[in-house]
Every structure is written in structure tokens, then in C-alpha cells.
Amino acid sequence: MVGDQLELELRRGVVALAVLSQLGEFRYGYELRRVLTDNGLPIEEGTLYPLLRRLEGQGVLSSEWRTDGQPRRYYRLSPAGKELYARLRDSWSGLNEAVRRLTEGDD
Amino acid sequence: MLTTEELIDAYVADVARLLPRSQREDVAAELRALLREELAGSDDPLARLRAFGRPGDVAARYGQPSTVVDPADGRRFVRLTVIGVVVIWLLGAISADGVVDWYQAYGIAALWWPGFLVVAFGLTGWARRRWPARFLWRPRKSTAGFVNRPGRIAAFAFWTAGAVVLVSAAWLLERLGAAPQAVQALTFDPDFARFPGPLVLALLVAELAHHLTVTIHGRWRPVTRDIDVALGLLTCAALIGVLFAGPVYLSTEANQIVKFAIAVIVAVSLVDLLIKVRRRPQPVNP
């Protein structure tokens, strides 16, 4: 459906920003998904985990395996990721404000 | 019934198989660890895994799946594929001896054309990604209806010379001292020389005159576009008449060759006319 497709496109960038926002410190995938879901942004596993790997491949995240207990891969913002996150956050604020003004009084 | 661990192993194996070799081991280890946590205590682990996505979709999300034909080229690719195959089939229908011969020589064989297009589009897409600056859009005069005068003058000279050679082939061969058989082969059949030969020649001359007019104007106008299409249709109709009428030349071999050439010219011209009509600029209503 057209609506589903548009919503998916709208969410795609927001999800990336939300993920970056939570990776100032090391987190592993399952834990990150829980944090996002608990904060009202449910995200499918099949979307989140590949996204983490892609962001790592683009140099935005760094990762490490931890084997104390159950082996898990932990992710954190790289220095480039921190810069990118700051830029995206500012951009999001501007967009959010503009859309708020444009849609004001719609209801 | 598979256990949850066996289901995870099967799923991870199917995903990993579709990943680049360098990523497989690492992604598989991570995916297995994550799925164990996701599926822990689940009543229906198979449904959870299915909700995760088909292994092919998940593998595609892990990387940048390569595409042979860029999505932006999709429509053009499909159009060229269909047009090319239909043209080959039509030409085959004219040349083949019966349905079986057509099917074997053209029906299936025509599929080389989509294969060729896949390779051509794939290489073009690769070159576009590799050297983006070389593939920037550049405005073309022809899009606005302007014509390339030097090119059209050269084309006019070529077609005029071609028409002269076509009309007086036997006479020219005789002057050049060719063998009498060659002269005889390219001598027009008297019935063709009476009709429809002069009609085809008149249409050819009209097309050349029209070509020259547009070249002098320097650009296409609505009326010259209309005349172009009308002349094209008339010429195609006359040539189709020639195909089904009697011989063109006295020699049987020359007839076979010229009729095949006419069939090709008609097929290409009709496709060209169709493209011209579809691309014709629409009047803008304020």
C-alpha cells in the first residue's frame, strides 16, 4: 500500500538517528532493540541488526566481541559517528520544527 | 519437529550462504547469538523467525545488493527488450519457411536480445557508478526540436546518392563494364517499372525534399512533424505493397535479397514512426 511505503520511508532515517542516539556507550543488538521499543520506537530485528552492520561498515560505529558470559557483539559510536550524530540531530530538529509549523492547525 | 536451536542454525546457515564470503562467519556468529536471545522462551520460534524475514531479504539488508539493471533504467530496459524481440520475430515471420522453422530460427533465438541488453545495461550502470562525472546530464539541442544541420546534410547526400544508385543500378553496372548477368540481375521487372516503382520513387523524392526542408528550417515544427509521419506511413504502405506484389528485378536472387531488405526497412521504419509519435511534444495548455 502507498501509505505503508511512505511510512516506511519516513521511519528509515528516523530509525538510524534513534540508533545513533543510543550508542554513546557500548550496547549489543538485543539490548538496543529493547531500549528503542521501551521508548516507543519498536524496530524489527531483521532491520536493526543489518543496520548496525551497515553503519559499522560505513565507519559510523565501532564494535567488539565480548565473551565474558554469553558471547555478544557490542556497538558504539566511532569519532566519525559522533560527528554524524550531532549533524543529524541538528538536522532533525530543524526538520521537526519546520514540519510542526507547516502542519500546525491541521486538526 | 526441529528444536529452537536447530531452527536458528538452519536460518543462520541460509542467511550466511547469501552473504559475501568475507562476512559470513562473523555475521553468522552475531546473528546466532542475537536470535538465541530473541527466541528465548518463544512459544512459536518458527513464526518468530519467519517474522524476522526471508533469509534472502535479511542477507540483502546486510549489504548493498548488486543490481544488474539499475532500477532507474527498468522501464527503458523492458521497452527495448519487448521492441527488440517483437522486431526479430516479425522479421523472422517474413523470412522463415513455416512455423517450425520460425520457432527454431527466430522464436527462441530472439532471446539473445534480452541477454545482450542485460550485459549492455549492466556495463553502463557499472560505468555510471565508476565515473559519475562523465555521465552527468547534458542538454541536447535535438530535445528542443533543433536539428544537427551538418549531420542532416551528410545524410541527405548519402540518401540521394543511394536513391540514384538504386534507380539506375543496371545502367551504372553497364557503364562500369560489369558482366551482362550482373546487369540483367539488377534490371527492373517491366511490371514493377510501370507500377509501383514510380510511386515508390515519388515517395522517396518527397521524403528527401522534406528532409531538406527541415534541415533548412533548422528545427522541427508541428506541421513538419505531421508531414514526416504521414510520408513515413505512406512509404511503408507502398513498400508493403511491393513485398506482396510481383518481382522487383528480373533475377530471382536479387528479388529475394531486395524483398528481405524492404521487410527490414519497413519494420525499422514502423518502430521509428511509433517512437516519433509517442515522443511528439504535446501542446502546453495554459
Side-chain angles (χ1 to χ4, degrees):
Chain A
M1 276 173 63
V2 177
D4 292 344
Q5 184 62 33
L6 284 175
E7 193 177 347
L8 189 70
E9 287 174 19
L10 191 63
R11 275 176 60 92
R12 200 166 285 154
V14 176
V15 164
L17 177 59
V19 166
L20 296 181
S21 76
Q22 297 305 306
L23 291 177
E25 60 191 65
F26 274 115
R27 287 185 193 276
Y28 63 97
Y30 182 72
E31 179 189 14
L32 178 61
R33 198 166 84 81
R34 288 272 158 240
V35 173
L36 294 174
T37 303
D38 291 348
N39 283 281
L41 193 70
I43 176 171
E44 291 168 9
E45 313 93 295
T47 303
L48 176 62
Y49 305 145
L51 173 65
L52 290 172
R53 299 297 299 241
R54 274 212 310 281
L55 291 172
E56 187 192 12
Q58 290 161 355
V60 176
L61 302 179
S62 56
S63 74
E64 62 181 46
W65 276 98
R66 290 189 189 170
T67 49
D68 44 334
Q70 192 173 333
R72 287 171 178 143
R73 182 190 283 277
Y74 283 75
Y75 293 91
R76 188 173 68 170
L77 290 178
S78 67
K82 285 179 183 165
E83 282 178 32
L84 175 67
Y85 169 56
R87 187 150 65 87
L88 291 180
R89 190 184 51 200
D90 292 346
S91 178
W92 166 252
S93 296
L95 287 169
N96 196 24
E97 180 58 26
V99 172
R100 190 190 61 72
R101 281 198 302 270
L102 290 166
T103 57
E104 219 167 37
D106 272 2
D107 298 324
Chain B
M1 184 87 174
L2 297 177
T3 64
T4 302
E5 195 63 24
E6 286 168 337
L7 279 173
I8 292 173
D9 280 346
Y11 188 84
V12 169
D14 279 353
V15 173
R17 194 177 303 126
L18 300 170
L19 290 168
R21 204 168 287 277
S22 59
Q23 282 187 16
R24 280 182 196 169
E25 208 174 317
D26 198 34
V27 170
E30 184 186 18
L31 193 56
R32 187 174 287 109
L34 290 164
L35 287 174
R36 278 182 187 142
E37 286 184 290
E38 294 283 357
L39 270 58
S42 170
D43 294 336
D44 191 350
L46 181 58
R48 288 294 309 275
L49 277 174
R50 283 179 174 153
F52 199 87
R54 288 189 320 115
D57 294 334
V58 176
R61 284 183 212 135
Y62 269 104
Q64 199 66 41
S66 58
T67 51
V68 179
V69 178
D70 286 353
D73 291 331
R75 276 178 67 88
R76 202 153 59 103
F77 174 77
V78 171
R79 199 167 58 226
L80 288 176
T81 299
V82 172
I83 290 172
V85 170
V86 169
V87 167
I88 295 170
W89 281 349
L90 288 177
L91 290 177
I94 293 165
S95 322
D97 300 324
V99 177
V100 175
D101 180 41
W102 175 86
Y103 178 75
Q104 288 173 344
Y106 298 95
I108 293 293
L111 298 180
W112 68 265
W113 174 246
F116 168 77
L117 284 182
V118 167
V119 174
F121 272 78
L123 286 174
T124 307
W126 173 81
R128 232 168 10 209
R129 287 187 289 276
R130 178 79 177 74
W131 299 289
R134 290 190 192 175
F135 289 87
L136 290 174
W137 177 78
R138 289 179 177 84
R140 284 177 303 152
K141 270 187 163 185
S142 60
T143 314
F146 292 99
V147 298
N148 173 3
R149 275 199 176 117
R152 285 184 69 88
I153 288 168
F156 178 79
F158 177 78
W159 289 117
T160 306
V164 169
V165 169
L166 205 62
V167 170
S168 51
W171 182 83
L172 282 172
L173 282 177
E174 206 171 8
R175 291 291 169 280
L176 290 171
Q181 293 89 337
V183 176
Q184 171 82 0
L186 291 182
T187 300
F188 286 116
D189 181 272
D191 285 342
F192 177 80
R194 207 172 302 120
F195 186 83
L199 174 67
V200 174
L201 182 62
L203 286 168
L204 197 61
V205 171
E207 291 239 27
L208 284 171
H210 178 60
H211 183 96
L212 198 59
T213 309
V214 175
T215 307
I216 292 166
H217 280 162
R219 68 176 301 176
W220 286 97
R221 294 175 180 175
V223 65
T224 48
R225 285 186 200 276
D226 287 344
I227 293 171
D228 187 50
V229 172
L231 273 176
L233 284 173
L234 282 173
T235 308
C236 283
L239 290 177
I240 290 170
V242 170
L243 275 181
F244 294 103
V248 176
Y249 292 109
L250 292 178
S251 143
T252 313
E253 290 77 17
N255 270 316
Q256 283 173 343
I257 293 169
V258 81
K259 290 211 173 183
F260 179 76
I262 288 174
V264 173
I265 290 168
V266 168
V268 172
S269 301
L270 286 176
V271 171
D272 180 52
L273 285 172
L274 189 69
I275 293 170
K276 278 178 181 167
V277 170
R278 285 176 63 93
R279 288 189 179 169
R280 193 192 160 97
Q282 298 298 314
V284 181
N285 296 318

